Amino acid sequence: MLLWMAVLLFVPCVGKTAWLYLQAWPNPVFEGDALTLQCQGWKNTPLSQVKFYRDGKFLHFSKENQTLSMGAATVQSRGQYSCTGQVMYIPQIFTPTSETTMVQVQELFPPPVLSAAPSPEPREGSLVTLRCQTKLHPLRSALRLLFSFYKDSHTLQDRGPHPELCIPGVKEGDSGLYWCEVATEGGQVQKQSPQLEVRVQAPVSRPVLTLHHGPTDPAVGDMVQLLCEAQRGSPPVLYLFYLDEKIVGNHSAPCGGNASHLFPVKSEQDAGNYSCEAENGVSRERSEPKKLSLKGSQVLSTPTSSNWLVPWLPASLRGMMVIAAALLVYLRPWRKAGPLPSQIPPPAPGGEQCPLYANVHHQKEKDEGVVYSVVHRTSKRSEARPAEFAAERKDSSIIYAEVRCLQPSEVSSKEVNIRNTLQESLGDCEEVLC
């Protein structure tokens, strides 16, 4: 009786420590390895009603099977495992519990890191290289890894052997979120990198400046708005506003678009040429200037060589007309001054002189016609020396205020008789009649 009681007390105590033990393989365990747990009895004693636990929590139950397949091991497979099972020890059946076994799953490779060279903010048109970087555990360095690259919801490269992806001549449309994935050949282990934002820096286009004010030119006290916009260019964009070459304001557009500058007109000094400038760290562009004129103000400009004569042309013409009128007024008294005094020509060669006759027909002041008749008598001896005579005649000049030749119908019979008498008396003299 006493012997039987000693057996009953001894068996449970021994069973808890030695009757069951738990094994996990392979050892060591790496990510992707097929993890297997086996609950074994002392000296391969058959077990039934086997239960597996992880970290004290029930994991699996099997009536006859003492092995549990955990599938591909992951980092989450780590923990303390144990098992229980019924052991038949005649004449008694009891359920011992194994000691805990610590399962450490080794990381096959760390999560990859995606990088962009030379920069995740490349300039438009440059070459960008994406690198997916990771490293196998030294004990599993013979494994082959495959690399995939993604942008937003698109696949750029699927399971390739190269850990780099080149994007030549990037454009603004290549901006977005990129990531990569590394996997073993069988796909048991797959790991993704954190997302990398790539922002292609596009240069700003030439901005356009618009002036907003009332329907007419603004006056002192009115408000004027300057609106500057670059149609393209990577944000953020900084806008600078200029009056001539002086900065009058600056505004930033963090998301791109336009910017405005509002100001009141304080004086005529606010008139002038306004422009704006857009800058985003890649390029800088200046707009065409826009002129702002104030109501009632006059802006003087320096004349250029091409147009300085234009304003003075009417004044010059008026001056010439005034001078011409003055000359006419000055010379008008000579018109009706009557017969001019006769001028005696120099003595003819040989001591003879040619008598000078003057036939003056002077009408009343209201008439227009004034007739002067001049007659020179030239000796025949002078015909042999025409050149000397001509030279001498150059020295004598006759000036008339007005000379008009009469028409034959206007010559009276009395004047004809006088002219004939003169011709007969002069003989060899030459008559010159105007």
Side-chain angles (χ1 to χ4, degrees), residues 22-233:
L22 182 67
Q23 287 184 332
W25 72 86
N27 189 21
V29 182
F30 283 91
E31 291 176 308
D33 291 346
L35 178 59
T36 302
L37 302 178
Q38 186 176 22
C39 189
Q40 292 181 327
W42 181 62
K43 293 184 179 180
N44 294 326
T45 303
L47 300 176
S48 62
Q49 306 295 319
V50 179
K51 296 179 180 179
F52 294 90
Y53 298 86
R54 184 176 65 187
D55 297 330
K57 297 180 179 180
F58 174 76
L59 186 62
H60 183 72
F61 169 77
S62 177
K63 289 184 178 181
E64 301 294 339
N65 197 351
Q66 301 175 210
T67 303
L68 175 61
S69 177
M70 299 287 294
T74 63
V75 177
Q76 290 75 23
S77 301
R78 296 173 181 174
Q80 293 182 346
Y81 290 84
S82 62
C83 65
T84 62
Q86 288 185 357
V87 177
M88 181 176 292
Y89 188 82
I90 299 174
Q92 185 180 4
I93 298 175
F94 56 96
T95 306
T97 301
S98 69
E99 292 185 350
T100 59
T101 300
M102 183 65 187
V103 176
Q104 292 282 0
V105 179
Q106 302 288 330
E107 188 176 51
L108 185 62
F109 55 87
V113 176
L114 182 64
S115 62
S119 169
E121 295 185 354
R123 293 195 175 188
E124 190 176 47
S126 62
L127 172 67
V128 176
T129 302
L130 301 178
R131 292 190 178 96
C132 191
Q133 298 174 320
T134 189
K135 188 176 181 181
L136 282 168
H137 194 281
L139 296 178
R140 299 295 178 90
S141 59
L143 291 178
R144 186 184 180 192
L145 299 178
L146 302 177
F147 301 87
S148 302
F149 292 87
Y150 302 90
K151 174 185 177 294
D152 298 331
S153 58
H154 305 286
T155 302
L156 304 178
Q157 175 181 299
D158 185 25
R159 298 290 175 92
H162 303 291
E164 295 183 353
L165 177 66
C166 295
I167 306 176
V170 292
K171 302 178 181 179
E172 193 172 8
D174 293 323
S175 300
L177 295 176
Y178 290 78
W179 74 91
C180 66
E181 183 181 78
V182 181
T184 56
E185 284 186 312
Q188 296 86 354
V189 182
Q190 301 178 8
K191 293 184 180 182
Q192 291 184 355
S193 70
Q195 291 183 336
L196 173 68
E197 183 178 8
V198 175
R199 298 172 56 186
V200 179
Q201 299 297 307
V204 293
S205 60
R206 191 172 194 180
V208 177
L209 178 66
T210 307
L211 304 182
H212 292 282
H213 49 77
T216 60
D217 291 338
V220 175
D222 293 342
M223 300 298 294
V224 177
Q225 183 186 33
L226 307 179
L227 183 64
C228 187
E229 181 177 12
Q231 294 295 330
R232 67 183 301 269

